[in-house]
Amino acid sequence: MDLFWGTVLILLLPVAALSGWWAARRSGRDQRHAAEVRIPPEYLAGLNYVLNEEQDKAIDLFIKLLEVDNQTVETHLALGNLFRRRGEVDRAIRIHQNLIARPKLGAEHRALALLELGTDYMRSGLLDRAEGLFNELVDKDAHAEAALRALLDIYQQEKDWQKAIAIARRLESATGERFGPEIAQFHCELADEACKRGDYSAARQRLQDALENDRNCARASLTEAGICRMERQPAAAIAAYKRVGRQDPNYLPEVTGPLLECYREIGRLPEYRDYLREVVGTIGGITPLLCLTSLTEELEGRNAAAALLTAELDRRPAVRGVQRLVEYAMAVADGELQRSLNAIRQMTERLIQGKSVYQCQHCGFAAKSLHWKCPGCKSWNSIKPVFGVEGE
Ligand SMILES: [Zn+2]
């Protein structure tokens, strides 16, 4: 018998004893006999099932044994919880359903059992059933905050962003907590859906809603810039991309490449070089620096680019920068020197190969591409580019 089943038995022992006492009282014995607590035979049979690892039979017996009254409801709830935590959700569901089916259950206990059963359903992926129970709790104003949080989770899993927005708003007024950044992400999801349908005007409206809920929603600006490019408006795209840098400088590496293309389209590359100089001077990051280096090479020649890169790397070393520097040196070297430089280039390649470019700032989840919702901890907007010598 493992530790878990030992816990279950200890949990049930006082209840079993109590029900034995009740049985004694009901059978009409006098007070002296009633005080003698005896363990009912069903309990011993249950113990036997557990010892023989016939756990389903044991549970059936315990459910039968535990007459639901105010004194045993807590035990039922604790038992159900134990099963769910152990991953035996089907058993937790049976226990909680059994509780709810009892007509004598008080309103408070019934609400608690509904909350538990809803959580069981969520755990086993029965989202529709869970949704029904949590809505019932919200309507009754019983455990409403916990139910609203669960509903928010369900609608996100179902990608029902409209309902998620409505629930987040209710949570905001119920708790005073701010859900603006999450609501903004839900609007961004709706904008992405509109983009997929080719309805850019609906998408723009959604992005406006996103920014109204969170003016620092960089994702809304990035999506807007993408729409502008689709609609061949490079100047408007530039304005939106630059807004990303002000909203959250972490996302600058996402915009430097697209900005270069937009500035090239409108023929104003020197203006972009000035912008990049400012970004590199104030915020840094190897992606903007490499973009500035390429642009300097294009506008002023390779020597100017190499000089700029050397000076910046001296301030903030980065493997990707060293790699570019070695490539510049290789272009003018020959013979033995070129072979040595090539060996160094391969080493730098190995240093950054396989390194995750993005990481969740909440749970540390490492990713190769940008996700707006962390696949690990499910939080929004927490995955950012990795900074440091081997990263940005
Ligand atoms: Zn995470």
Side-chain angles (χ1 to χ4, degrees), residues 68-192:
V68 178
D69 60 37
N70 285 338
Q71 275 151 316
T72 60
V73 169
E74 302 293 343
T75 311
H76 272 90
L77 290 170
L79 194 58
N81 241 324
L82 269 175
F83 280 119
R84 191 174 60 237
R85 271 196 227 142
R86 229 172 104 99
E88 296 176 49
V89 188
D90 288 351
R91 289 175 174 156
I93 288 176
R94 275 170 62 200
I95 287 175
H96 293 134
Q97 279 177 337
N98 170 60
L99 259 185
I100 290 165
R102 303 296 167 114
K104 275 191 264 172
L105 195 69
E108 210 170 293
H109 279 139
R110 191 184 145 74
L112 207 53
L114 282 176
L115 187 67
E116 294 294 336
L117 185 59
T119 313
D120 298 337
Y121 284 150
M122 265 183 91
R123 181 66 72 80
S124 52
L126 300 166
L127 296 185
D128 284 356
R129 288 197 200 172
E131 184 189 341
L133 295 188
F134 291 129
N135 273 321
E136 187 180 331
L137 285 169
V138 173
D139 290 344
K140 287 180 178 159
D141 199 20
H143 302 285
E145 186 185 329
L148 284 169
R149 286 187 194 277
L151 283 170
L152 186 62
D153 192 352
I154 289 172
Y155 293 137
Q156 289 182 67
Q157 287 188 52
E158 289 178 338
K159 297 185 189 298
D160 191 334
W161 307 113
Q162 298 279 17
K163 283 187 181 163
I165 291 168
I167 295 292
R169 289 214 189 293
R170 289 185 71 167
L171 262 172
E172 260 185 348
S173 53
T175 63
E177 219 174 296
R178 190 173 164 251
F179 281 84
E182 283 85 0
I183 294 174
Q185 292 289 331
F186 303 157
H187 281 296
C188 286
E189 291 287 341
L190 287 167
D192 283 354

Side-chain angles (χ1 to χ4, degrees), residues 360 362-365 374 376-379 382:
C360 174
H362 285 181
C363 72
F365 183 93
C374 174
C377 67
K378 313 285 178 214
S379 50
S382 59

